[in-house]
Amino acid sequence: MRLRAPLALAGAAVLVLVGPPLLTTGSGSETGTQIPGLRFMVPNTPGGGYDITARTAAKNAEDAGLTHNIEVFNLPGAGGTVGLTRLVSEHGNGKLAMSMGLGVVGAVRSNDAPSTLADTTPIARLTEEQDVVVVAKDSPYKTIDDLIGAWKEKPGKLPVGGGSSPGGPDHLAPMLMARAAGIAPKDVNYIPFDGGGELLASILGNKVAFGVSGVGEYLDQIKAGELRLLAVTGPERVDGLDAPTLQEAGYDVNFTNWRGIVAPPGLSDSEREKLTRLIEELHDSPEWQKSMKQNGWDDAFLTGDKFGEFLDAEDNRVVSVLKELGL
């Protein structure tokens, strides 16, 4: 909008944040990408997709020599809208950017937030990825048909957890699944968590029957056998993972999530252009291209006004889907 075991993830996050940049032949001074004091805000808890994206971007930018000493910090709350409100209040601050995605679009609607993404400076859409439907390794559900069969019998008794507020990707995906399976979306017992990191513990502890989150967030747990992957929500199977798409399994769902970067309002033209140039150079770097492949992220790069138009369209799409689902 990758998820690792909690202790390993926490350690990795600290290393990404404080580890020194590697030696590189790149020079941010040559391309005009050096932004001393740059900070990346993550509007949810450590371990979620926004967090992994921000920390990966920061490390890759430093390793590529584009800029140095980027600070990454978390400001969770209300599905990302606490961070969004903070960002909008930093009018004219060209040294602050926020990692975000479809989840924030939905949270703005579901929380009736005082600030919207229209109040920000759009910088870039970075990635797109599928959601995954996962259960704990000791779950009784071996296949997606096992899960949906039980879900149809007692939809309110099988809580589904997601790392986003209502209207976000981890909420919309299971609602679309429910409709495709003949379950009324209003009967679904959806439990929101503030990011995939918080959700993970509840899946592993069987506090929810199943979870829905980004493939990149839970890739390590799936490969380690801690989570059982039942299906993916996008149009094609994910390379290296043995699970069908929902469409293959007979459920008419085709859903993907995306993530990007926005900045405060009121930036000067030069500040906006410099931040955009940094992200463009990051996108083209071998470091970022390698990270996208490792994390299972698809390239969805889009900058500036076109990204702003996309944000408007996504807001309209969320409203339309929620109305269509009766939510």
Side-chain angles (χ1 to χ4, degrees), residues 149-291:
W151 199 20
K152 289 175 71 173
E153 287 184 10
K154 297 180 179 179
K157 298 294 185 181
L158 267 71
V160 50
S164 59
S165 296
D170 300 349
H171 171 251
L172 294 178
M175 294 302 167
L176 293 170
M177 282 175 55
R179 184 180 65 176
I183 300 169
K186 63 181 178 60
D187 293 336
V188 173
N189 181 10
Y190 176 76
I191 301 177
F193 293 83
D194 202 354
E198 284 192 355
L199 170 62
L200 179 61
S202 289
I203 300 173
L204 294 175
N206 291 304
K207 294 181 180 179
V208 293
F210 66 104
V212 176
S213 193
V215 60
E217 295 177 76
Y218 290 165
L219 188 60
D220 286 354
Q221 283 74 23
I222 292 168
K223 289 184 174 181
E226 294 299 314
L227 292 175
R228 181 183 301 142
L229 174 62
L230 301 184
V232 297
T233 65
E236 298 179 352
R237 289 189 177 214
V238 176
D239 288 344
L241 296 180
D242 183 20
T245 68
L246 287 170
Q247 289 183 326
E248 277 184 73
Y251 306 100
D252 189 15
V253 176
N254 182 351
F255 182 87
T256 57
N257 186 19
W258 56 269
R259 296 193 179 92
I261 300 286
V262 294
L267 300 192
S268 67
D269 289 346
S270 62
E271 288 173 324
R272 185 184 69 253
E273 289 167 4
K274 193 164 193 177
L275 186 53
T276 302
R277 190 180 308 119
L278 169 63
I279 301 302
E280 288 174 339
E281 294 287 335
L282 168 69
H283 168 262
D284 293 341
S285 70
E287 290 83 356
W288 178 254
Q289 294 297 317
K290 181 180 179 181
S291 291

Side-chain angles (χ1 to χ4, degrees), residues 15-205:
L15 287 173
V16 171
L17 180 59
V18 304
L22 300 177
L23 293 177
T24 175
T25 57
S27 173
S29 60
E30 295 174 3
T31 59
T33 59
Q34 291 286 347
I35 306 177
L38 179 61
R39 308 175 79 208
F40 281 171
M41 182 197 304
V42 176
N44 62 10
T45 54
Y50 301 153
D51 187 70
I52 295 170
T53 302
R55 295 182 188 279
T56 300
K59 185 176 189 302
N60 289 170
E62 292 179 357
D63 288 353
L66 300 175
T67 193
H68 300 290
N69 300 320
I70 301 173
E71 178 190 352
V72 182
F73 69 100
N74 298 77
L75 185 62
T81 57
V82 170
L84 176 61
T85 300
R86 162 72 178 276
L87 186 82
V88 172
S89 74
E90 295 274 348
H91 189 278
N93 185 351
K95 297 187 177 184
L96 179 65
M98 186 176 83
S99 175
M100 48 73 70
L102 179 56
V104 176
V105 178
V108 166
R109 287 290 179 179
S110 62
N111 291 296
D112 194 22
S115 299
T116 73
L117 289 166
D119 298 320
T120 70
T121 299
I123 300 300
R125 185 183 67 191
L126 293 173
T127 63
E128 185 178 41
E129 69 172 344
Q130 303 195 42
D131 268 1
V132 291
V133 182
V134 293
V135 295
K137 63 181 180 181
D138 57 350
S139 167
Y141 310 116
K142 308 295 186 183
T143 68
I144 188 65
D145 285 334
D146 290 344
L147 172 64
I148 289 183
W151 199 20
K152 289 175 71 173
E153 287 184 10
K154 297 180 179 179
K157 298 294 185 181
L158 267 71
V160 50
S164 59
S165 296
D170 300 349
H171 171 251
L172 294 178
M175 294 302 167
L176 293 170
M177 282 175 55
R179 184 180 65 176
I183 300 169
K186 63 181 178 60
D187 293 336
V188 173
N189 181 10
Y190 176 76
I191 301 177
F193 293 83
D194 202 354
E198 284 192 355
L199 170 62
L200 179 61
S202 289
I203 300 173
L204 294 175

